[in-house]
Amino acid sequence: MGMVGGGRGAFIGGVHRMAAALDSQIELVCGAFSSDPERSRLSGEDFYLPADRVYGSYAEMIEKEQLLPEGERMDFVSIVTPNHLHYGPAKMALEHGFHVVCDKPLCFSMEEAEELVALVEETGLIFALTHNYTGYPMVKQARAMIKAGELGAIRKVVVEYPQGWLSTKLEDTEQKQAGWRTDPSRSGIAGAMGDIGTHAENLAEYITGLEITELCADLTAFVPGRQLDDDGNVLLRFSNGAKGVLHASQICAGEENDLNIRVYGTKGGFHWRQMEPNTLTVKWLDKPVEVRRTGVGELYPEATAHTRIPAGHPEGYLEAFANIYRNFAHCVRARLAGEAPDPLMLDYPGVKDGLRGMKFIQKVVASNNSKEKWIKI
Amino acid sequence: MGMVGGGRGAFIGGVHRMAAALDSQIELVCGAFSSDPERSRLSGEDFYLPADRVYGSYAEMIEKEQLLPEGERMDFVSIVTPNHLHYGPAKMALEHGFHVVCDKPLCFSMEEAEELVALVEETGLIFALTHNYTGYPMVKQARAMIKAGELGAIRKVVVEYPQGWLSTKLEDTEQKQAGWRTDPSRSGIAGAMGDIGTHAENLAEYITGLEITELCADLTAFVPGRQLDDDGNVLLRFSNGAKGVLHASQICAGEENDLNIRVYGTKGGFHWRQMEPNTLTVKWLDKPVEVRRTGVGELYPEATAHTRIPAGHPEGYLEAFANIYRNFAHCVRARLAGEAPDPLMLDYPGVKDGLRGMKFIQKVVASNNSKEKWIKI
Amino acid sequence: MGMVGGGRGAFIGGVHRMAAALDSQIELVCGAFSSDPERSRLSGEDFYLPADRVYGSYAEMIEKEQLLPEGERMDFVSIVTPNHLHYGPAKMALEHGFHVVCDKPLCFSMEEAEELVALVEETGLIFALTHNYTGYPMVKQARAMIKAGELGAIRKVVVEYPQGWLSTKLEDTEQKQAGWRTDPSRSGIAGAMGDIGTHAENLAEYITGLEITELCADLTAFVPGRQLDDDGNVLLRFSNGAKGVLHASQICAGEENDLNIRVYGTKGGFHWRQMEPNTLTVKWLDKPVEVRRTGVGELYPEATAHTRIPAGHPEGYLEAFANIYRNFAHCVRARLAGEAPDPLMLDYPGVKDGLRGMKFIQKVVASNNSKEKWIKI
Amino acid sequence: MGMVGGGRGAFIGGVHRMAAALDSQIELVCGAFSSDPERSRLSGEDFYLPADRVYGSYAEMIEKEQLLPEGERMDFVSIVTPNHLHYGPAKMALEHGFHVVCDKPLCFSMEEAEELVALVEETGLIFALTHNYTGYPMVKQARAMIKAGELGAIRKVVVEYPQGWLSTKLEDTEQKQAGWRTDPSRSGIAGAMGDIGTHAENLAEYITGLEITELCADLTAFVPGRQLDDDGNVLLRFSNGAKGVLHASQICAGEENDLNIRVYGTKGGFHWRQMEPNTLTVKWLDKPVEVRRTGVGELYPEATAHTRIPAGHPEGYLEAFANIYRNFAHCVRARLAGEAPDPLMLDYPGVKDGLRGMKFIQKVVASNNSKEKWIKI
């Protein structure tokens, strides 16, 4: 693995490194960790990399690695930069024959997104997008239950993503994360909706297997002087006639990272909450509520395949994140070996999920600016 | 107390009787318990009433009771019939000088609602509407906290009322409750939104002290053949610029009666849930989450005045409901005695809350039928 | 109902009055509310009683009421005084032919307890002891599940009753409740163990249908200067070979009234917690955890018969307490009518539960004072 | 790192490998993964190890690695075999100058334990014992709060470790974990008490900073034919006069791995539960309950230093386990570099915790066999 971004002071880069390391299937071999070459060099030292595999830019990394003999050069690129810096390295990596893991959202604009989709199709390379919340075992279980028809026809979806960390004008401090996320030139046309709303959208579509077809959005920048939305409420309509609500916010003072989803069908419903991710509360029309738990009892193979340790030993955010890396690595390894991958390991978010997320952002912003009630997606 | 409705087979009448009895301040002295005189008579026997105080109709009850000497006749009328039968007895009771307790929603149409408001103003009689969920001590605490500015300026409100009991076409069975609630001729223009959406609206406005000024609604009748909405999602805008979401449903399979509300301001937020009503979870921008509990520690007098037993002895639905009756009875007694009521006891929902609820129903239905995004309320 | 104790400033008397009133089956007709006749008189006014039915002592009440014509005089006596004042009025009431409701623990000493048991047997009168925590619907459900063998053979019981309100020397203040509870001359040989440990013991035996046969106790008075235990830990052995732990405390700073019980058998187990009494969490060896809830789905008739309102409308402490009064009243009424009571209504704690509790207190204290590991009960 | 045990089919070995890999500070370079050389060889392939670093026995590994040049040979040994196979490799590794990480309990007998303690002292080598549950950030927070006196003087400790997985005679199946844990020749004199009771003991002493000085135990083998205890209830007395209860069980049908602890002092108390490890519920004598959370607000440096990701991104069992490896690796690295380790990183369980655990096992079994109430520890 060669990493783009994620040097000293960054947040998500460290998460990617831990997620990649957990299963001892992936080795960090090189990186361009910062646009500042000195910072990149120091970061490389932190990771015990040889100096000649620490590059000053992603372009240099991709070019030089390509010249290394097979087996020695990196097998794939992991992109962990802010949104506006996804497209460049992703495109170049694909064009130079490297598989890609990319943080979400996919990129900055619809045009970029469509170009990346086309490039992945052309090259046939493997592309994973880290919509990590779908990596949890009980999310897999929830999706499998719906797919198997256990809940009947889906009628209602409520997906929420409240955070509170941007309740004040944190971007006026040195806080790097707040800085780029509230800056349209680095984050794109949406704030909270791009940063976390897309996770909610992705989770809802992943779990239900449905597509959002229409939406009606009300976005707000509550903190005075902020340019991008820090709160949004959206009515949803799904492909099968189900209705829903999505709300995401970064000004829900006191909330941590409370992504959660409820889905109701004709036979039952469930609730899953990221902050207690090993529990899936299933409610039935005609039986008692069941508490399904990671590793406990008969679960779908999709859940079991993404569980590492026995029941009651809580698996967390990093393990879910690592599931994307593990599945991606499995598929890359199978490709290198010319073997068919385990079908259960084909389950990771890809470039089309990224495109879908970009569309969601675009339509939510359009709806917010419109007097019409419904915008098609 | 003389009761209209609530005979054998009814649900809410029994709740009213228990709520009225709890504090030994109110005695059921007469009733017209059913439009079927024989059922009314038998119900009267159940309640150990003398036969001559059990009437065949509310009109007969009001007329005959008025002829009894003061001190012997009923002091007030309690109306516990389906929605379309609130207006008649309420109007007649007021016109004959009786105070009134009325179940919600206030009545059937905006015209009726406005007439009742005018009549209460004219007569100066005491009118309580049983929006019982505002009777819980921790709801009082929540309201007092906001009033005192503890949360800062309110930015976001999420109020939910999911139930699952109408997930199937229960109205085709003998279930009396389902029957009238899904019948436009007895329930009015809205189903779930009238039955429980108004509770959510009332709770949100009561707790925040704000008014909903605009809304955008998407209502659905999911169960085939049902005439009234059994699910609704609504975007809200409040008088002070706060935004919100209200959703209420009777097709959330497996849900019981999960009314709950979250409110966030600039300084903090809270969560209150009717099914665990003695807990108010308060989240702060800069302090740990606090769990406030009925009867524990320093609470606002508004909460303490509505608490009967010590901490850790759970108070429930009936106690909250009884708080309305107790406050109402206190005010009636004070009126009879020519004394000023305790200001804390003036806190019960009245005819104006009823009018507000009727407006909400009207606007939600109008919004659902409109292509315009926002409808003013 | 004629009440002994429970005048102004008392706590449990008010609870008994609300519990008795809730179902409109019992009327307070007289009382001797305080050993101070003036306080008794004023309390009688609070309850709207005629002056001639408010007595200066329980002896006066019992004597004078007996002289009133049947149908007019009280049907039973409710005793809500501190522990040392249970025996006198209970004995006299029984001797004068009155049924009795008595607060727990039954009395002050084993001798008194045995005398009362004998007296109830001789007279055939109805005697209810308000071990109110067994009145909750989900406790009934739990008991019925075990009785039906759903959990298999019981192996382990953990019953806890932590409170924190006596963490400081509250008895040195004016707090009346703390005063008598920590005073050996009014409370008996045990403090926390008598006050709340007996509730835990009663709950464990009631739910499991087993008897504690041996115990090993470690009691402590943590607060300096306190004469009676404010904390106790007890190992338990049950009649069928099951093992268990009981701990009760009034110095668990910050705890409210957290009585709870877990029971495990060969097939499954459950957890019930008084502070969220409408939930019974059932765990199975080979199926997912089930959350059973008051009023939801198929429950045992024992649970349903003690439920007043639909699912999701929380029933609390007063409703559980009222179940004892309602069942007692039903049995008294059936006796008066010469009819057989509904078998489900025969379920209320009686004088033998009281004797059992007195034995528990005696043995726990004996064990604490002994160097031997096991004391038989 | 060279690993002893943990080949194909083992459980805890995989946990150790993931924990060691997470932070990219430790590399698995060699191993003797099984007493079966072929299984060891295959396991080595699974881990991408060169064939010549996969050994047939721990003795071979230690001898051959010692011959490798510094910088190339393993820096330490990680022992992940069943209990009876800890002592041999630990002793030999220490005698050959290798630092050691060892799974718990330390070894098989008191004699072995004392010998290992002496050996660690003599050699000055670094020894970590994986009492992993003390690795959670909120356990660190709890300990720091008590150390700082926030709870006042500690009065009561309740520590529980219920599991249900041995409710049936699982050892009669192929289940390898059940096999050795219930076999006195491999597990030692205690079953559940050795396997999980020691975790509970370690957690209680770690968090409170107190020592258990006396205990009274009741152990049971509930499953017919089982030789070692599968359930135990223990009364505790602590060095400062605090009292407590410890119970651990593997026959609590339906329980997963519910290690939890409550501690109460004169000023407040708290509850921590391993299955939701990022929450520490703190209760106060005179303030509302506080919910402290990993990564949220002002926490003690001890907690923050053991947290990897921001609030609301749940950290789990592997992260807590990895904290031991990370701290151990830090100390080994500092030793190699001749530098002083970060004081916060000195916090990992060591050989003396292991000795303490062995004493606990010995005394619990002795108490169970005794008629005397209290056994000193």
Side-chain angles (χ1 to χ4, degrees), chain A residues 154-158 160 162 164 166-168 216-220 222-224 231-237 241-249 251-256 258 260 262 264-269 273 283-285 289 366-374, chain B residues 154-158 160 162 164 166-168 216-220 222-224 231-237 241-249 251-256 258 260 262 264-269 273 283-285 289 366-374:
Chain A
I154 301 308
R155 287 172 165 173
K156 178 142 191 181
V157 178
V158 180
E160 310 181 327
L166 290 176
S167 289
T168 60
C216 170
D218 189 19
L219 309 188
T220 313
F222 274 109
V223 173
D231 180 85
N233 302 319
V234 189
L235 302 181
L236 303 176
R237 290 177 163 184
K243 301 287 182 82
V245 175
L246 179 156
H247 53 95
S249 182
I251 55 86
C252 287
E255 294 293 353
E256 298 175 26
D258 195 11
N260 70 88
R262 284 166 282 174
Y264 301 95
T266 47
K267 298 182 190 169
R273 203 179 153 223
K283 301 178 179 186
W284 299 104
L285 203 54
V289 169
S367 170
N368 184 54
N369 296 332
S370 166
K371 283 188 178 175
E372 269 193 59
K373 197 162 166 183
W374 296 105
Chain B
I154 300 309
R155 287 172 166 173
K156 179 143 190 179
V157 178
V158 180
E160 311 181 325
L166 290 176
S167 289
T168 59
C216 170
D218 190 19
L219 309 188
T220 313
F222 274 109
V223 173
D231 180 83
N233 302 320
V234 189
L235 302 180
L236 304 176
R237 291 179 163 183
K243 300 288 183 80
V245 175
L246 179 155
H247 52 94
S249 182
I251 56 84
C252 286
E255 294 293 352
E256 299 175 26
D258 195 10
N260 70 86
R262 284 165 283 173
Y264 301 96
T266 48
K267 298 182 190 169
R273 202 178 154 226
K283 301 177 179 187
W284 298 105
L285 203 55
V289 169
S367 170
N368 184 55
N369 295 333
S370 166
K371 283 187 178 176
E372 268 191 61
K373 197 162 166 184
W374 296 106

Side-chain angles (χ1 to χ4, degrees), chain B residues 39-333:
Chain B
R39 178 177 287 186
S40 183
R41 195 184 62 75
L42 289 168
S43 302
E45 280 182 15
D46 293 347
F47 312 140
Y48 309 109
L49 288 181
D52 62 345
R53 303 290 288 273
V54 183
Y55 303 97
S57 72
Y58 72 80
E60 187 195 348
M61 178 177 89
I62 292 172
E63 278 164 9
K64 292 211 177 143
E65 287 287 319
Q66 210 193 14
L67 302 177
L68 294 177
E70 205 177 313
E72 196 173 318
R73 69 171 172 246
M74 65 180 181
D75 288 316
F76 68 93
V77 174
S78 174
I79 302 169
V80 300
T81 45
N83 302 354
H84 66 305
L85 298 173
H86 290 177
Y87 168 74
K91 184 174 183 236
M92 187 170 171
L94 291 168
E95 287 172 346
H96 287 70
F98 290 106
H99 306 291
V100 172
V101 175
C102 182
D103 208 71
K104 48 55 54 190
L106 178 57
C107 48
F108 199 70
S109 71
M110 282 300 295
E111 293 69 36
E112 289 178 3
E114 276 158 8
E115 200 181 331
L116 289 177
V117 170
L119 208 49
V120 170
E121 278 178 10
E122 270 170 45
T123 60
L125 290 162
I126 301 174
F127 191 105
L129 192 80
T130 53
H131 267 308
N132 52 290
Y133 295 112
T134 59
Y136 282 107
M138 297 319 281
V139 169
K140 308 290 188 194
Q141 173 71 12
R143 174 180 160 91
M145 285 179 70
I146 288 180
K147 204 172 169 188
E150 289 198 51
L151 299 196
I154 300 309
R155 287 172 166 173
K156 179 143 190 179
V157 178
V158 180
V159 61
E160 311 181 325
Y161 202 149
Q163 295 181 332
W165 68 294
L166 290 176
S167 289
T168 59
K169 201 136 185 278
L170 202 59
E171 59 266 42
D172 289 352
T173 69
E174 292 295 293
Q175 226 274 16
K176 203 174 156 180
Q177 303 305 320
W180 72 259
R181 278 181 173 80
T182 58
D183 174 2
S185 73
R186 287 178 287 171
S187 190
I189 56 173
M193 276 294 143
D195 189 23
I196 59 176
T198 48
H199 274 308
E201 167 267 328
N202 179 257
L203 183 65
E205 295 196 343
Y206 178 78
I207 277 189
T208 61
L210 300 173
E211 291 211 329
I212 299 165
T213 52
E214 286 182 287
L215 55 77
C216 170
D218 190 19
L219 309 188
T220 313
F222 274 109
V223 173
R226 186 165 287 161
Q227 297 182 66
L228 293 174
D229 59 285
D230 49 27
D231 180 83
N233 302 320
V234 189
L235 302 180
L236 304 176
R237 291 179 163 183
F238 288 86
S239 36
N240 75 333
K243 300 288 183 80
V245 175
L246 179 155
H247 52 94
S249 182
Q250 294 177 319
I251 56 84
C252 286
E255 294 293 352
E256 299 175 26
N257 192 48
D258 195 10
L259 173 63
N260 70 86
I261 186 166
R262 284 165 283 173
V263 180
Y264 301 96
T266 48
K267 298 182 190 169
F270 59 63
H271 188 198
W272 178 81
R273 202 178 154 226
Q274 193 269 150
M275 282 169 60
E276 290 178 21
N278 297 297
T279 297
L280 178 71
T281 306
V282 188
K283 301 177 179 187
W284 298 105
L285 203 55
D286 50 8
K287 309 188 274 190
V289 169
E290 286 175 4
V291 183
R292 308 305 309 258
R293 297 263 311 154
T294 305
V296 179
E298 292 286 320
L299 297 169
Y300 283 94
E302 287 86 344
T304 306
H306 295 89
T307 304
R308 284 175 184 76
I309 38 178
H313 300 74
E315 303 200 36
Y317 175 86
L318 289 174
E319 287 81 357
F321 212 111
N323 281 334
I324 295 180
Y325 268 97
R326 192 204 51 176
N327 289 0
F328 172 82
H330 172 85
C331 292
V332 168
R333 204 180 293 279

Side-chain angles (χ1 to χ4, degrees), chain A residues 46-57:
Chain A
D46 293 347
F47 313 140
Y48 309 109
L49 288 181
D52 63 346
R53 303 290 288 276
V54 182
Y55 302 97
S57 71

Side-chain angles (χ1 to χ4, degrees), chain B residues 4-20:
Chain B
V4 179
R8 290 184 174 185
F11 153 57
I12 204 70
V15 168
H16 280 251
R17 282 190 298 273
M18 289 188 279

Side-chain angles (χ1 to χ4, degrees), chain B residues 348-365:
Chain B
Y348 55 84
V351 73
K352 285 189 178 164
D353 298 275
L355 177 63
R356 188 89 196 134
M358 295 304 293
K359 264 190 201 159
F360 174 77
I361 292 172
Q362 191 195 36
K363 296 301 181 182
V364 157
V365 172

